[in-house]
Amino acid sequence: MSDSAGSRRTLVLGGARSGKSAFAEKLAIESGGPVRYLATAVLDPADTDFAERIAGHRARRPADWTVVESADPAKVLTEPAPITLIDDIGTWLTARIDDRDAWDLPRGTITPDADALVAAVTAYRHPLVIVTPEVGMGIIPATRSGRLFRDEIGALNQRLAQACDTAYLLVAGLPLRLK
């Protein structure tokens, strides 16, 4: 990961369509080693728009990458790999909230899941690139579920940024190194 100056854990944040996934993939490719790709999205076959997004990511990935679909990073990170790319924390968080049926529950209901993820990232001693959405720069969401997601991902992103050696913010395809 030449752009990250030898750091082990790199956080890549950005808004929708900011280029964060492509940038993270570039960092992984530049590492020169075999890549384990943790795809955290849970595909709903009825959601054709999301299925097209996932297909675009699959088409862009090199064929020699090891892909773990619907991955729980906290569990997968117990096993080392030359480089691991997690894409993305937002879809992971959505799945955790869904699994706990927590959309109408108090904030913090998914804290045990977030704690496990942050602990796994902190303990991981191999190159790691994490993609996550930055959602706190827009308007206040009109729905409770939107506000819950924004608050939970914001708190989690802060914790992941502290656990990572390097952090980038992508805006309009341009990376800004934060740390």
Side-chain angles (χ1 to χ4, degrees), residues 150-179:
R150 182 213 45 206
D151 293 351
E152 295 288 358
I153 196 76
L156 182 53
N157 283 348
Q158 289 182 50
R159 294 178 66 195
L160 288 171
Q162 291 302 311
C164 288
D165 305 299
T166 305
Y168 291 93
L169 174 65
L170 269 284
V171 178
L174 301 173
L176 173 64
R177 187 174 176 149
L178 304 174
K179 159 182 175 180

Short mmCIF file of all heavy atoms in Angstrom, two decimals, residues 150-179:
data_model
loop_
_atom_site.label_atom_id
_atom_site.label_comp_id
_atom_site.label_asym_id
_atom_site.label_seq_id
_atom_site.Cartn_x
_atom_site.Cartn_y
_atom_site.Cartn_z
N ARG A 150 -27.36 7.30 10.17
CA ARG A 150 -26.37 8.39 10.15
C ARG A 150 -25.63 8.47 11.48
O ARG A 150 -24.41 8.59 11.52
CB ARG A 150 -27.06 9.71 9.85
CG ARG A 150 -26.08 10.88 9.77
CD ARG A 150 -26.62 12.20 10.23
NE ARG A 150 -27.35 12.10 11.48
CZ ARG A 150 -28.30 12.95 11.83
NH1 ARG A 150 -28.65 13.93 11.03
NH2 ARG A 150 -28.91 12.82 12.99
N ASP A 151 -26.35 8.40 12.58
CA ASP A 151 -25.72 8.51 13.90
C ASP A 151 -24.82 7.32 14.19
O ASP A 151 -23.70 7.48 14.69
CB ASP A 151 -26.79 8.63 14.99
CG ASP A 151 -27.57 9.94 14.90
OD1 ASP A 151 -27.19 10.84 14.12
OD2 ASP A 151 -28.59 10.05 15.62
N GLU A 152 -25.30 6.12 13.88
CA GLU A 152 -24.51 4.92 14.17
C GLU A 152 -23.24 4.85 13.30
O GLU A 152 -22.17 4.52 13.79
CB GLU A 152 -25.35 3.65 14.00
CG GLU A 152 -26.50 3.52 14.98
CD GLU A 152 -26.09 3.19 16.41
OE1 GLU A 152 -24.89 3.02 16.69
OE2 GLU A 152 -26.99 3.11 17.26
N ILE A 153 -23.38 5.16 12.00
CA ILE A 153 -22.19 5.10 11.14
C ILE A 153 -21.21 6.21 11.49
O ILE A 153 -20.00 6.01 11.45
CB ILE A 153 -22.57 5.11 9.62
CG1 ILE A 153 -21.37 4.63 8.77
CG2 ILE A 153 -22.99 6.48 9.14
CD1 ILE A 153 -21.12 3.18 8.78
N GLY A 154 -21.72 7.37 11.88
CA GLY A 154 -20.83 8.45 12.29
C GLY A 154 -19.99 8.09 13.50
O GLY A 154 -18.77 8.30 13.53
N ALA A 155 -20.64 7.50 14.51
CA ALA A 155 -19.91 7.08 15.71
C ALA A 155 -18.92 5.96 15.37
O ALA A 155 -17.77 5.98 15.85
CB ALA A 155 -20.90 6.61 16.78
N LEU A 156 -19.34 5.01 14.55
CA LEU A 156 -18.47 3.90 14.18
C LEU A 156 -17.28 4.39 13.35
O LEU A 156 -16.14 3.97 13.56
CB LEU A 156 -19.25 2.83 13.43
CG LEU A 156 -18.49 1.59 13.00
CD1 LEU A 156 -17.75 0.93 14.16
CD2 LEU A 156 -19.42 0.60 12.32
N ASN A 157 -17.53 5.30 12.41
CA ASN A 157 -16.43 5.84 11.60
C ASN A 157 -15.37 6.53 12.48
O ASN A 157 -14.17 6.40 12.22
CB ASN A 157 -16.95 6.82 10.56
CG ASN A 157 -17.59 6.13 9.38
OD1 ASN A 157 -17.47 4.93 9.19
ND2 ASN A 157 -18.30 6.91 8.56
N GLN A 158 -15.81 7.24 13.50
CA GLN A 158 -14.86 7.89 14.39
C GLN A 158 -13.98 6.86 15.09
O GLN A 158 -12.76 7.03 15.20
CB GLN A 158 -15.59 8.73 15.44
CG GLN A 158 -16.22 9.97 14.87
CD GLN A 158 -16.89 10.80 15.94
OE1 GLN A 158 -16.29 11.07 16.99
NE2 GLN A 158 -18.14 11.19 15.70
N ARG A 159 -14.59 5.78 15.53
CA ARG A 159 -13.84 4.73 16.22
C ARG A 159 -12.88 4.02 15.27
O ARG A 159 -11.74 3.73 15.63
CB ARG A 159 -14.80 3.74 16.86
CG ARG A 159 -15.64 4.36 17.98
CD ARG A 159 -16.62 3.40 18.57
NE ARG A 159 -15.92 2.32 19.27
CZ ARG A 159 -16.50 1.19 19.64
NH1 ARG A 159 -17.78 0.96 19.38
NH2 ARG A 159 -15.81 0.26 20.27
N LEU A 160 -13.34 3.75 14.05
CA LEU A 160 -12.47 3.09 13.07
C LEU A 160 -11.31 3.99 12.67
O LEU A 160 -10.19 3.53 12.49
CB LEU A 160 -13.28 2.66 11.84
CG LEU A 160 -14.22 1.49 12.05
CD1 LEU A 160 -15.12 1.30 10.84
CD2 LEU A 160 -13.45 0.21 12.38
N ALA A 161 -11.57 5.29 12.54
CA ALA A 161 -10.50 6.23 12.21
C ALA A 161 -9.41 6.23 13.28
O ALA A 161 -8.22 6.33 12.97
CB ALA A 161 -11.06 7.64 12.01
N GLN A 162 -9.81 6.10 14.52
CA GLN A 162 -8.83 6.02 15.61
C GLN A 162 -8.03 4.71 15.55
O GLN A 162 -6.84 4.71 15.88
CB GLN A 162 -9.52 6.17 16.97
CG GLN A 162 -10.07 7.55 17.22
CD GLN A 162 -8.99 8.62 17.16
OE1 GLN A 162 -7.93 8.48 17.77
NE2 GLN A 162 -9.24 9.66 16.38
N ALA A 163 -8.67 3.64 15.14
CA ALA A 163 -8.01 2.34 15.09
C ALA A 163 -7.10 2.19 13.87
O ALA A 163 -6.23 1.32 13.86
CB ALA A 163 -9.06 1.22 15.08
N CYS A 164 -7.30 3.03 12.85
CA CYS A 164 -6.52 2.92 11.62
C CYS A 164 -5.30 3.83 11.66
O CYS A 164 -5.29 4.87 12.33
CB CYS A 164 -7.39 3.26 10.41
SG CYS A 164 -8.58 1.96 10.04
N ASP A 165 -4.28 3.43 10.92
CA ASP A 165 -3.04 4.20 10.84
C ASP A 165 -3.17 5.37 9.87
O ASP A 165 -2.53 6.40 10.04
CB ASP A 165 -1.89 3.29 10.36
CG ASP A 165 -1.76 2.06 11.25
OD1 ASP A 165 -1.50 2.23 12.44
OD2 ASP A 165 -1.95 0.94 10.73
N THR A 166 -3.98 5.17 8.83
CA THR A 166 -4.14 6.16 7.76
C THR A 166 -5.62 6.29 7.45
O THR A 166 -6.36 5.31 7.54
CB THR A 166 -3.40 5.70 6.48
OG1 THR A 166 -2.04 5.43 6.81
CG2 THR A 166 -3.44 6.75 5.39
N ALA A 167 -6.04 7.50 7.07
CA ALA A 167 -7.43 7.71 6.66
C ALA A 167 -7.46 8.67 5.49
O ALA A 167 -6.71 9.65 5.45
CB ALA A 167 -8.27 8.24 7.81
N TYR A 168 -8.32 8.37 4.53
CA TYR A 168 -8.55 9.22 3.36
C TYR A 168 -10.03 9.57 3.28
O TYR A 168 -10.88 8.74 3.60
CB TYR A 168 -8.18 8.49 2.06
CG TYR A 168 -6.72 8.23 1.88
CD1 TYR A 168 -6.16 7.02 2.29
CD2 TYR A 168 -5.90 9.17 1.26
CE1 TYR A 168 -4.81 6.76 2.10
CE2 TYR A 168 -4.54 8.91 1.07
CZ TYR A 168 -4.02 7.71 1.50
OH TYR A 168 -2.68 7.45 1.31
N LEU A 169 -10.30 10.77 2.79
CA LEU A 169 -11.66 11.17 2.44
C LEU A 169 -11.68 11.38 0.94
O LEU A 169 -10.84 12.12 0.40
CB LEU A 169 -12.05 12.47 3.15
CG LEU A 169 -13.41 13.06 2.76
CD1 LEU A 169 -14.55 12.14 3.18
CD2 LEU A 169 -13.58 14.45 3.39
N LEU A 170 -12.61 10.72 0.26
CA LEU A 170 -12.75 10.86 -1.19
C LEU A 170 -13.87 11.84 -1.49
O LEU A 170 -14.98 11.70 -0.97
CB LEU A 170 -13.08 9.51 -1.84
CG LEU A 170 -11.92 8.66 -2.31
CD1 LEU A 170 -11.32 9.17 -3.58
CD2 LEU A 170 -10.88 8.43 -1.27
N VAL A 171 -13.59 12.82 -2.32
CA VAL A 171 -14.58 13.79 -2.78
C VAL A 171 -14.39 13.93 -4.28
O VAL A 171 -13.29 14.23 -4.74
CB VAL A 171 -14.42 15.17 -2.09
CG1 VAL A 171 -15.43 16.16 -2.60
CG2 VAL A 171 -14.52 15.03 -0.57
N ALA A 172 -15.44 13.66 -5.04
CA ALA A 172 -15.39 13.79 -6.50
C ALA A 172 -14.23 13.00 -7.10
O ALA A 172 -13.58 13.44 -8.04
CB ALA A 172 -15.32 15.26 -6.91
N GLY A 173 -13.96 11.84 -6.52
CA GLY A 173 -12.89 10.99 -7.02
C GLY A 173 -11.50 11.39 -6.59
O GLY A 173 -10.52 10.74 -6.97
N LEU A 174 -11.39 12.43 -5.78
CA LEU A 174 -10.09 12.93 -5.34
C LEU A 174 -9.85 12.55 -3.89
O LEU A 174 -10.66 12.90 -3.02
CB LEU A 174 -10.01 14.44 -5.51
CG LEU A 174 -10.24 14.96 -6.93
CD1 LEU A 174 -10.30 16.48 -6.92
CD2 LEU A 174 -9.12 14.48 -7.84
N PRO A 175 -8.73 11.87 -3.60
CA PRO A 175 -8.45 11.50 -2.22
C PRO A 175 -7.77 12.64 -1.46
O PRO A 175 -6.86 13.28 -1.97
CB PRO A 175 -7.48 10.31 -2.37
CG PRO A 175 -6.80 10.55 -3.68
CD PRO A 175 -7.79 11.27 -4.55
N LEU A 176 -8.25 12.85 -0.27
CA LEU A 176 -7.64 13.82 0.66
C LEU A 176 -7.16 13.01 1.85
O LEU A 176 -7.98 12.38 2.54
CB LEU A 176 -8.65 14.87 1.09
CG LEU A 176 -8.21 15.84 2.17
CD1 LEU A 176 -7.04 16.70 1.68
CD2 LEU A 176 -9.37 16.72 2.61
N ARG A 177 -5.86 13.01 2.09
CA ARG A 177 -5.33 12.25 3.23
C ARG A 177 -5.63 13.02 4.51
O ARG A 177 -5.22 14.18 4.66
CB ARG A 177 -3.83 12.02 3.07
CG ARG A 177 -3.30 11.10 4.14
CD ARG A 177 -1.86 10.74 3.91
NE ARG A 177 -1.40 9.95 5.03
CZ ARG A 177 -0.48 9.01 4.93
NH1 ARG A 177 0.06 8.75 3.76
NH2 ARG A 177 -0.10 8.35 5.99
N LEU A 178 -6.32 12.37 5.42
CA LEU A 178 -6.69 12.99 6.69
C LEU A 178 -5.69 12.68 7.78
O LEU A 178 -5.49 13.47 8.70
CB LEU A 178 -8.07 12.48 7.14
CG LEU A 178 -9.22 12.68 6.15
CD1 LEU A 178 -10.49 12.00 6.66
CD2 LEU A 178 -9.47 14.17 5.92
N LYS A 179 -5.08 11.51 7.68
CA LYS A 179 -4.20 11.04 8.75
C LYS A 179 -3.20 10.08 8.15
O LYS A 179 -3.50 9.35 7.24
CB LYS A 179 -5.09 10.39 9.80
CG LYS A 179 -4.49 9.43 10.73
CD LYS A 179 -5.54 8.86 11.68
CE LYS A 179 -4.92 7.79 12.54
NZ LYS A 179 -5.81 7.20 13.46
#
